[in-house]
Amino acid sequence: MEKPNEINVLTKECILTALLRLMEERPYDSISITDITSLAGVSRMAYYRNYSSKEEILIKHLEDEEKKIIENAIGTKSFSIKDIIFYVSDFIQDNSSVIKAVYSAGLTHRLTDMLKDRIYSYFPVANQTTEGKYAVRFYVGAILSVYRYWIDNGMEEPADTVSEIVWKLVNQDSAIEYLVYPEN
C-alpha cells in the first residue's frame, strides 16, 4: 500500500496537471474548483486538504520545486550571485509550463515576490537601507523581464546562455558594454 505522503504527492500532481490542461482551453478566471477536481479525478476534500485557492496550486508547486533544489544543493558549496542566476535559469526552464501559467493567470506579482524574497534571504543586508530596497526591486524587475522575454520567445536559447546574459547585465564590470549613450 502507498504511503499517505506518496498519495498526497500524486493528488497534487493530478490537480496541477488538471489546472494546466484547463488553462490551455480557457481563461484562468473561468476555471472552477469543480472543473479542476473533476478533471483531476480527486475529491473536493482532497483539493482543500492541499490548497485554499487556484493560485496556491501554481505557487505552491514552484515553492516545492525550489525547496527540492535548495535541499539538494545545501552543503555542497556556497552560492555566489552568478550561481544564483544559473539556478534561477535552470529553475525557470524546468518549470516553464507552470511559470507560463502564472503569467497567464495574471499572477506575475507572485513571481516578483518570490524572487525578491530569495534575494533578501541570500543578501539580507539589502533590506536594511532605502537604497538597498529600491536596488532589489530594480534587479528583480530587470531579471524577471529578461526571463519573461526568454519564455515569450519560446526559450530557444539554452538556460546557460540566458544565465550568462543575465550575469553580464547585473555584473558591474561587464554591464557597461550594453549601455548606449546619446550623442551630444
Side-chain angles (χ1 to χ4, degrees):
M1 184 171 161
E2 290 184 81
K3 297 177 190 174
N5 190 33
E6 291 171 355
I7 293 169
N8 196 41
V9 168
L10 181 59
T11 299
K12 287 179 175 182
E13 286 176 15
C14 290
I15 290 170
L16 174 65
T17 301
L19 177 57
L20 294 175
R21 282 192 49 212
L22 289 165
M23 287 180 72
E24 290 174 2
E25 299 168 8
R26 59 184 192 241
Y28 173 79
D29 290 338
S30 72
I31 299 170
S32 70
I33 303 306
T34 301
D35 295 332
I36 297 168
T37 57
S38 294
L39 185 58
V42 301
S43 68
R44 287 179 75 84
M45 186 167 40
Y47 172 88
Y48 284 113
R49 195 175 317 127
N50 291 287
Y51 304 107
S52 61
S53 67
K54 292 185 293 185
E55 177 180 325
E56 192 176 358
I57 298 168
L58 300 170
I59 301 305
K60 185 93 171 93
H61 173 77
L62 293 176
E63 290 172 346
D64 290 347
E65 290 301 303
E66 181 192 36
K67 282 179 190 171
K68 286 183 209 171
I69 291 170
I70 290 171
E71 286 171 4
N72 291 334
I74 287 179
T76 60
K77 64 178 183 170
S78 62
F79 292 106
S80 69
I81 294 172
K82 191 171 186 177
D83 292 331
I84 293 168
I85 290 168
F86 276 77
Y87 144 75
V88 170
S89 297
D90 288 340
F91 178 82
I92 287 172
Q93 188 171 43
D94 294 345
N95 294 283
S96 63
S97 62
V98 177
I99 291 171
K100 286 176 188 176
V102 168
Y103 282 130
S104 175
L107 302 171
T108 306
H109 65 281
R110 294 299 304 268
L111 293 177
T112 301
D113 290 344
M114 285 178 72
L115 185 54
K116 175 183 59 73
D117 291 346
R118 293 328 161 257
I119 289 172
Y120 283 148
S121 69
Y122 290 114
F123 308 104
V125 71
N127 197 24
Q128 295 177 5
T129 67
T130 299
E131 215 173 83
K133 291 174 186 178
Y134 278 96
V136 168
R137 278 157 182 81
F138 172 82
Y139 283 109
V140 167
I143 291 168
L144 284 178
S145 180
V146 170
Y147 286 125
R148 177 73 188 259
Y149 181 79
W150 182 42
I151 290 168
D152 289 348
N153 287 289
M155 300 177 86
E156 292 178 10
E157 300 85 5
D160 287 351
T161 300
V162 174
S163 297
E164 285 293 341
I165 292 168
V166 172
W167 169 243
K168 284 181 180 181
L169 292 171
V170 300
N171 182 344
Q172 281 185 320
D173 296 332
S174 61
I176 196 76
E177 72 186 66
Y178 292 101
L179 294 179
V180 177
Y181 294 100
E183 294 183 30
N184 290 338

